[in-house]
Every structure is written in C-alpha cells, then in structure tokens.
Amino acid sequence: MLQLPNLPRELRSSQVLIRFGLRMIILVAFAALGGAGFGRSLSALLWMSIILCAVVGTIRLERPLDGVLNHWDEAVAYAATFSLVSVFNHPVPV
C-alpha cells in the first residue's frame, strides 16, 4: 500500500504570507470585474475573507497570537485592508 508522508499541520509563516498575497491578487481581480464598483466589490470580498479565515481558524483549532502566522493573523490583515478601503470608499461631497 502506498503511504503518504506525514504533512505538517502548521504552515510556515512565509507560506501564509504567499497565500495572503495570492488571495489579495485574486480579490482585487474579482473586484475590478465586479459590477458594483471596485471599492464596494473589494469591501464585500474582504468582509467575506475575514469571515472565512475566522471560520477556518476556528475549525483547525488555531490559536490567535501564536508563534507562527495562521488564519487568525490573515483575518486581521484582511480586516486592516477592509478598514483602509472603507476609509477611501466614501463619496466625496461636491
């Protein structure tokens, strides 16, 4: 029987950073194609990413503020990006 090697349960911090970068590229690409405008689409996608990372972090029993980066840290990064986008997303009064 073919046995698979034991894969590590935790990813290295560099792998989490690469995952975050690739997901951000995908979110920006989908937001650019969204019909509701770039800012509103990106805000909605970032909000969904925050929820997704929190759910996955809970399911995988990852600890917040751990020694290595995990889904909780990724959720905080998405929340910070969401806050930044929402500041610039308000209409300018004329």
Side-chain angles (χ1 to χ4, degrees):
M1 256 186 98
L2 179 65
Q3 295 224 347
L4 297 175
N6 289 336
L7 297 175
R9 187 165 185 258
E10 292 183 0
L11 297 175
R12 293 188 307 242
S13 293
S14 60
Q15 292 172 320
V16 175
L17 288 173
I18 291 170
R19 179 179 69 199
F20 174 76
L22 289 174
R23 285 184 182 174
M24 281 301 297
I25 290 170
I26 293 169
L27 292 178
V28 168
F30 276 112
L33 300 173
F38 180 75
R40 290 181 64 186
S41 297
L42 186 59
S43 294
L45 290 170
L46 286 170
W47 184 245
M48 288 188 285
S49 297
I50 294 167
I51 294 170
L52 176 70
C53 286
V55 168
V56 171
T58 302
I59 290 172
R60 293 188 63 180
L61 301 175
E62 295 176 341
R63 293 183 1 210
L65 303 173
D66 202 9
V68 294
L69 295 177
N70 56 29
H71 283 92
W72 290 107
D73 300 311
E74 197 172 351
V76 170
Y78 285 127
T81 308
F82 172 78
S83 298
L84 184 66
V85 168
S86 66
V87 166
F88 293 109
N89 202 18
H90 294 291
V92 178
V94 180

